[in-house]
Amino acid sequence: MKVVFLLHNAYGVGGTIRTTLNLAAALADRHHVTVVSLQRHRETPRFTLDPRVTLVPLVDLRPESADAADPLLAEPARAFPSAEGRHRQYSRLHDARAAACLRDCDADVIIGTRPGLNVYLARYGPRGALRIAQEHLRHDAHSKRLRGQLAPHYRKLDALVTTTEADAAVYRERMALPGVRVLAVPNMVPAPDVQPSDGTAKVVAAAGRLVPGKRFDLLVQAFATVAEQHPDWRLRIYGGGTQKEPLQDLIDELGLGGNVELAGVRSPIEAEFARASIAASASDAESFGMTLVEAMRCGVPVVSTDCPLGPAEIITDGHDGRLVPRGDAPALAKALIELIEDPGARRAMGAAALESARRYDPAPIAARHERLFAELRTARRKRAVRQAPKRAVRRARKLAGRVLRRLRPAR
């Protein structure tokens, strides 16, 4: 079977890129897999690409490329939805390349990985292929305007796959998609090539984009309480983004320079989690929570806000981590302090986290996708059988109409 993924930029860094390349590699055990990157900005991808997976970039944004001089690159995209967050990064050249690529595609299955690419898939994808939209963001993270633009196109697809059961339920309730299978399949997170944490390092680790929604400011505020009671513990925050300077200002204002460090981007991140004893997340919302699973795969318990939608499906409170109310710095600090002060519980939760994270092994997640492909093929065949008599009647009526017109005497 030929499987194609549509990815915004396979040469960048991000959770969607990482999980797509992981899934592509897992499916490559049994299928011919291609990743179509709508654009590229560098010579080679930052993440390791399985050699069995073919990478096809469509638009080369490097200054020296021929595409950089193409006048279509300067014209705004028309097919890519205008309310999509990446719209300004798309052009008529992207529209044209995506259309040509999909119309010539002989894949059995094509999977889009963000809303705008799912629209490309609905508009240009060959009808003979299974067309599957993945949603790596929450339904409620999309504006009302974007949801209105997506719905007519999503109705043309075979399936919509979210990363959590909670988000799938929201789509079923709020976006009418008759005939489209809506289901959840979590991201896969392979076992890292590092030794699990032994739970003795006096380090709390956190990772993610330094943006407002991740609420690293809340985590820093909570850690001020932790540092008062346990000044020998450290918080290391990994990632880059627009909130770096405000976060550093907050760290300085709270006098936490010796306790909290903005440690920059690390890829892969697992080695840093393995050097910690606790991981933390203070997000207001998570469509899934890749870093939570990555920490758990390193034998590290996670203290996370119980935000929509992913953490509660990943963490069992009190067993392999802790869930605390969203936006509650004192509750976050209390949970961290309890684990700091109870090494036995910390190590037990770390062992439980390591075990429960096996749910996200590549093999079972890839198998769920393969079952979906088979089920969608079967559903198509059944629809074709049910619709065959109606199509035969329509063809007969058209044929009879042509015959009658020929027999009708000329006036």
Side-chain angles (χ1 to χ4, degrees):
M1 182 182 293
K2 294 181 179 179
V3 181
V4 170
F5 290 90
L6 303 179
L7 197 54
H8 166 64
N9 188 348
Y11 298 80
V13 175
T16 300
I17 302 168
R18 187 162 66 249
T19 193
T20 299
L21 296 183
N22 286 343
L23 178 55
L27 290 174
D29 287 340
R30 292 163 48 85
H31 308 284
H32 298 286
V33 182
T34 298
V35 172
V36 174
S37 180
L38 269 291
Q39 53 195 43
R40 71 184 300 179
H41 67 289
R42 64 197 309 271
E43 180 64 26
T44 57
R46 293 186 182 275
F47 292 122
T48 301
L49 182 71
D50 189 297
R52 299 169 299 174
V53 175
T54 302
L55 178 60
V56 178
L58 294 188
V59 177
D60 193 338
L61 300 180
R62 291 175 293 176
E64 69 277 10
S65 73
D67 288 346
D70 193 312
L72 289 179
L73 189 62
E75 297 186 29
R78 296 178 182 175
F80 195 91
S82 60
E84 226 265 38
R86 298 277 187 183
H87 180 261
R88 283 186 288 183
Q89 299 179 35
Y90 280 73
S91 66
R92 286 190 63 194
L93 183 60
H94 290 85
D95 288 351
R97 295 279 171 82
C101 174
L102 288 167
R103 285 168 178 159
D104 294 339
C105 185
D106 63 349
D108 300 292
V109 180
I110 309 175
I111 302 172
T113 58
R114 67 172 300 116
L117 305 187
N118 297 334
V119 170
Y120 277 158
L121 178 57
R123 293 177 69 121
Y124 306 125
R127 292 188 178 183
L130 293 176
R131 297 180 293 177
I132 300 172
Q134 286 183 350
E135 275 284 0
H136 292 272
L137 293 175
R138 299 172 299 118
H139 171 278
D140 292 352
H142 300 326
S143 67
K144 182 177 180 180
R145 179 166 164 253
L146 176 58
R147 294 196 297 266
Q149 291 178 347
L150 296 179
H153 296 286
Y154 277 19
R155 293 183 188 119
K156 301 175 184 177
L157 301 173
D158 292 280
L160 170 63
V161 179
T162 66
T163 58
T164 65
E165 294 290 349
D167 202 31
V170 172
Y171 270 99
R172 293 187 197 106
E173 179 183 350
R174 301 183 191 174
M175 185 179 286
L177 300 173
V180 179
R181 177 89 177 272
V182 180
L183 72 158
V185 180
N187 291 333
M188 66 172 57
V189 182
D193 188 21
V194 297
Q195 288 297 315
S197 167
D198 62 9
T200 61
K202 295 182 178 182
V203 175
V204 177
R209 291 177 297 117
L210 305 185
V211 295
K214 296 295 184 180
R215 293 308 310 272
F216 286 111
D217 60 324
L218 186 78
L219 179 56
V220 170
Q221 290 164 7
F223 206 79
T225 301
V226 174
E228 285 180 3
Q229 300 183 34
H230 297 279
D232 52 343
W233 276 72
R234 302 288 182 268
L235 170 63
R236 293 179 183 152
I237 299 174
Y238 299 95
T242 59
Q243 294 297 295
K244 181 177 181 179
E245 289 187 13
L247 282 171
Q248 188 61 59
D249 290 342
L250 178 61
I251 292 167
D252 296 340
E253 178 186 332
L254 296 174
L256 294 173
N259 295 92
V260 180
E261 176 189 0
L262 299 181
V265 177
R266 296 287 191 279
S267 181
I269 190 62
E270 287 89 348
E272 307 305 329
F273 282 133
R275 296 187 184 103
S277 293
I278 305 170
S281 172
S283 292
D284 279 340
E286 287 286 354
S287 55
F288 177 65
M290 283 284 288
T291 59
L292 278 62
V293 181
E294 287 167 337
M296 294 168 70
R297 297 231 65 157
C298 297
V300 178
V302 181
V303 176
S304 172
T305 48
D306 189 9
C307 63
L309 294 161
E313 293 189 17
I314 295 170
I315 298 168
T316 300
D317 185 36
H319 174 64
D320 50 21
R322 292 295 310 278
L323 293 171
V324 301
R326 180 174 55 172
D328 192 335
L332 186 57
K334 183 174 182 288
L336 290 169
I337 290 169
E338 287 174 353
L339 286 180
I340 286 171
E341 294 181 347
D342 191 341
R346 188 167 73 235
R347 285 192 288 271
M349 281 192 186
L354 188 63
E355 182 60 31
S356 63
R358 298 184 194 281
R359 292 173 290 163
Y360 305 100
D361 281 345
I365 302 299
R368 289 177 66 170
H369 282 88
E370 290 177 320
R371 285 196 296 274
L372 173 62
F373 302 159
E375 290 165 2
L376 293 176
R377 282 289 181 202
T378 299
R380 272 197 176 188
R381 286 195 292 269
K382 289 180 178 178
R383 283 198 302 271
V385 170
R386 288 196 303 267
Q387 294 170 0
K390 294 180 181 180
R391 288 197 299 269
V393 169
R394 287 196 295 268
R395 286 195 295 267
R397 286 175 176 171
K398 288 181 181 179
L399 179 60
R402 286 197 294 268
V403 171
L404 288 173
R405 284 193 294 272
R406 289 175 182 173
L407 295 176
R408 189 177 298 145
R411 293 181 180 179

